[in-house]
């Protein structure tokens, strides 16, 4: 009798949605750099990926924080994620310290992190130079905690800006080390770094990345800045002594403005050069300021609505913590078993 073959369509497994995960520190209102390099892309990934995004409050402790301010900044940062379009109905959104597994796996991975590798991290070198009076052990082992944040959720991709690439490489190395000792423990994730917007520079010192901790408020755009403030900051942006709007090596200020304008409008550099041919930097700066103000308008409006209802925000992060804990603990239990810790 002829064997009855199963329908190959029924046989085929439905394709798994790839997993994306990323985090952001609650150390002040997000900048345009955070937005274009990271959060805006997170919003766009929600349809095609299974996403998890969180507020990395444990990471912010590596720099001394004022408790009441940190609490406010954490809830504001959570609301900002939502205001930027991270939708709790589509993505898992939570606060890092609400999920104990992060700190626990962070310790375990610190024991598999090499002193030499940690010493080479540029963020450690930069931050220890900047906070010379507080070069604490957490600042040094930060990448092990970041590796734990990531590996707990077994993601395929980690969408970050260029400045986090080195930490991602570190995470991959730790995952590969653990897998080679204990068999398959972790999925080894790839960094997901968009070409345009991955490194937005300071408006005042365009060779430095835009950072929310800059002491000069004209150097960065906060995503809650009012439209007139945004336009004025762009008017004051440092450029060069030439006059033509074109993307060229050495024109750091103009290159930065062109990349911001290009990400937001979708126009290529050639198109921008054509559109602003014969016009001065003044016109271009105004156009960049206006398009940024327009892009951020809905974020600002949504943030105001969301923060008017604190209880609703709390309900979202509590639910997020519950789901995240469930996922994270599965991985943590697996790791503990593999490395030889006794089950309860
Ligand atoms: P954080 O809070 O410094 O920044 C959050 C995200 O914003 C990106 N970013 C930028 N992108 C382009 N231009 C800029 N000027 C700019 N400034 C910041 C960052 O690359 C980042 O993607 N260690 C992380 C937080 C973290 C994390 C994680 C990220 C903790 N655990 C696990 C991913 C996965 C940090 O300090 O990002």
């Amino acid at each position: 009798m002829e064997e009855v073959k199963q329908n190959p369509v029924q046989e085929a497994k439905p394709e798994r949605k790839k997993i994306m995960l990323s985090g952001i520190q609650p150390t002040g209102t997000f900048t345009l750099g955070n937005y274009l390099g990271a959060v805006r892309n997170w919003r766009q990934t929600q349809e095609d990926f299974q996403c998890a995004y969180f507020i990395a409050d444990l990471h912010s402790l590596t720099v001394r924080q004022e408790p009441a301010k940190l609490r406010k900044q954490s809830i504001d940062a959570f609301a900002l994620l939502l205001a930027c379009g991270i939708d709790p109905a589509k993505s898992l959104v939570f606060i890092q310290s609400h999920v104990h597994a992060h700190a626990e796996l962070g310790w375990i991975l610190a024991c598999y992190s090499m002193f030499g590798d940690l010493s080479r991290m540029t963020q450690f070198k930069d931050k220890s130079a900047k906070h010379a009076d507080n070069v604490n052990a957490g600042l040094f082992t930060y990448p092990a905690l970041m590796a734990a944040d990531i590996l707990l959720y077994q993601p395929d991709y980690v969408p970050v800006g260029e400045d986090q690439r080195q930490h991602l490489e570190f995470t991959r190395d730790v995952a590969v080390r653990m897998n080679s000792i204990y068999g398959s423990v972790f999925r080894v994730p790839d960094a997901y770094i968009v070409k345009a917007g991955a490194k937005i520079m300071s408006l005042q010192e365009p060779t430095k990345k835009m950072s929310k901790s800059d002491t000069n408020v004209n150097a960065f755009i906060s995503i809650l800045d009012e439209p007139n403030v945004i336009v004025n900051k762009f008017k004051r942006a440092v450029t060069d002594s030439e006059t033509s709007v074109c993307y060229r090596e050495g024109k750091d200020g103009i290159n930065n403005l062109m990349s911001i304008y290009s990400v937001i409008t979708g126009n290529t550099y050639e198109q921008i050069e054509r559109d602003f041919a014969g016009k001065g930097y003044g016109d271009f700066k105004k156009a960049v300021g206006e398009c940024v103000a327009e892009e951020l308008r809905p974020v600002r409006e949504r943030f105001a609505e969301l923060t008017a209802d604190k209880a609703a925000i709390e309900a979202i992060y509590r639910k997020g913590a519950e789901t995240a804990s469930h996922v994270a603990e599965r991985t943590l239990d697996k790791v503990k078993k593999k490395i030889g810790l006794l089950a309860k």
Side-chain angles (χ1 to χ4, degrees):
M1 208 174 86
E2 212 184 287
E3 200 187 346
V4 182
K5 288 245 162 66
Q6 281 207 350
N7 179 343
V9 175
Q10 282 177 2
E11 248 177 355
K13 268 195 183 164
E15 203 169 315
R16 176 179 71 82
K17 256 195 180 181
K18 299 269 197 235
I19 303 169
M20 281 253 175
L21 168 131
S22 201
I24 186 162
Q25 293 196 53
T27 41
T29 307
F30 306 164
T31 66
L32 185 63
N34 296 132
Y35 180 75
L36 296 182
V39 187
R40 184 178 193 255
N41 308 315
W42 302 353
R43 173 176 78 216
Q44 291 164 346
T45 56
Q46 295 181 105
E47 305 302 330
D48 302 325
F49 297 88
Q50 197 180 314
C51 299
Y53 297 118
F54 66 93
I55 299 302
D57 55 348
L58 293 175
H59 281 268
S60 65
L61 300 178
T62 54
V63 172
R64 192 74 68 236
Q65 305 287 341
E66 210 215 292
K69 196 166 158 205
L70 178 60
R71 269 190 290 273
K72 175 166 186 339
Q73 285 180 339
S74 297
I75 197 158
D76 282 356
F78 191 82
L80 266 180
L81 274 190
L82 307 180
C84 287
I86 306 301
D87 179 353
K90 294 180 186 157
S91 299
L92 175 57
V93 219
F94 63 97
I95 293 177
Q96 182 190 29
S97 64
H98 292 175
V99 183
H100 303 308
H102 288 244
E104 205 171 334
L105 185 63
W107 167 254
I108 293 174
L109 296 187
C111 299
Y112 293 81
S113 299
M114 297 300 126
F115 183 89
D117 294 343
L118 291 168
S119 316
R120 277 188 287 280
M121 296 292 125
T122 48
Q123 185 168 302
F124 171 69
K125 292 188 212 162
D126 291 351
K127 285 207 173 167
S128 45
K130 204 164 158 197
H131 304 278
D133 57 335
N134 184 21
V135 184
N136 58 73
L139 193 61
F140 188 66
T141 58
Y142 177 117
L145 178 60
M146 180 157 161
D149 299 337
I150 296 170
L151 299 175
L152 278 172
Y153 300 86
Q154 307 279 9
D156 298 273
Y157 302 110
V158 183
V160 282
E162 191 57 51
D163 63 325
Q164 295 298 321
R165 187 188 287 278
Q166 200 185 26
H167 291 156
L168 249 295
E169 281 307 314
F170 179 92
T171 301
R172 289 170 53 88
D173 290 346
V174 174
V176 168
R177 184 171 303 131
M178 297 288 278
N179 287 350
S180 69
I181 305 173
Y182 302 107
S184 129
V185 186
F186 296 121
R187 180 173 290 129
V188 181
D190 285 312
Y192 186 96
I193 299 180
V194 286
K195 270 209 192 95
K199 194 162 189 191
I200 302 297
M201 311 308 277
S202 152
L203 298 184
Q204 291 299 313
E205 283 177 82
T207 49
K208 256 177 49 183
K209 79 163 186 179
M210 182 180 283
S211 161
K212 48 192 171 221
S213 58
D214 205 309
T215 47
N216 181 350
V217 292
N218 287 321
F220 61 92
I221 302 290
S222 144
I223 66 170
L224 296 178
D225 278 344
E226 292 292 331
N228 63 322
V229 174
I230 295 177
V231 170
N232 281 331
K233 285 188 183 177
F234 276 103
K235 268 191 198 154
R236 293 198 196 104
V238 168
T239 48
D240 52 58
S241 54
E242 296 178 14
T243 49
S244 67
V245 175
C246 65
Y247 198 97
R248 214 172 349 99
E249 171 122 29
K251 287 172 75 72
D252 301 314
I254 285 293
N255 293 351
N256 188 36
L257 299 187
M258 284 181 76
S259 100
I260 293 169
Y261 192 70
S262 166
V263 181
I264 292 179
T265 60
N267 293 350
T268 62
Y269 292 153
E270 293 75 34
Q271 213 169 333
I272 300 171
E273 286 172 10
R274 265 198 314 275
D275 290 348
F276 288 89
K279 295 181 188 159
Y281 285 174
D283 284 347
F284 182 53
K285 286 179 175 181
K286 184 163 175 278
V288 183
E290 282 169 357
C291 86
V292 170
E294 218 27 63
E295 168 78 21
L296 296 179
R297 184 184 302 280
V299 174
R300 216 175 31 253
E301 288 170 359
R302 185 87 188 98
F303 179 78
E305 284 165 25
L306 283 162
T307 46
D309 187 354
K310 286 259 161 40
I313 297 179
E314 280 169 21
I316 298 172
Y317 67 61
R318 286 216 184 94
K319 177 82 184 49
E322 206 179 295
T323 312
S325 298
H326 183 72
V327 178
E329 260 155 43
R330 246 193 346 236
T331 304
L332 182 63
D333 285 348
K334 178 180 174 188
V335 175
K336 285 176 154 178
K337 202 164 155 195
K338 291 254 187 192
I339 64 175
L341 297 178
L342 269 185
K344 267 196 281 196

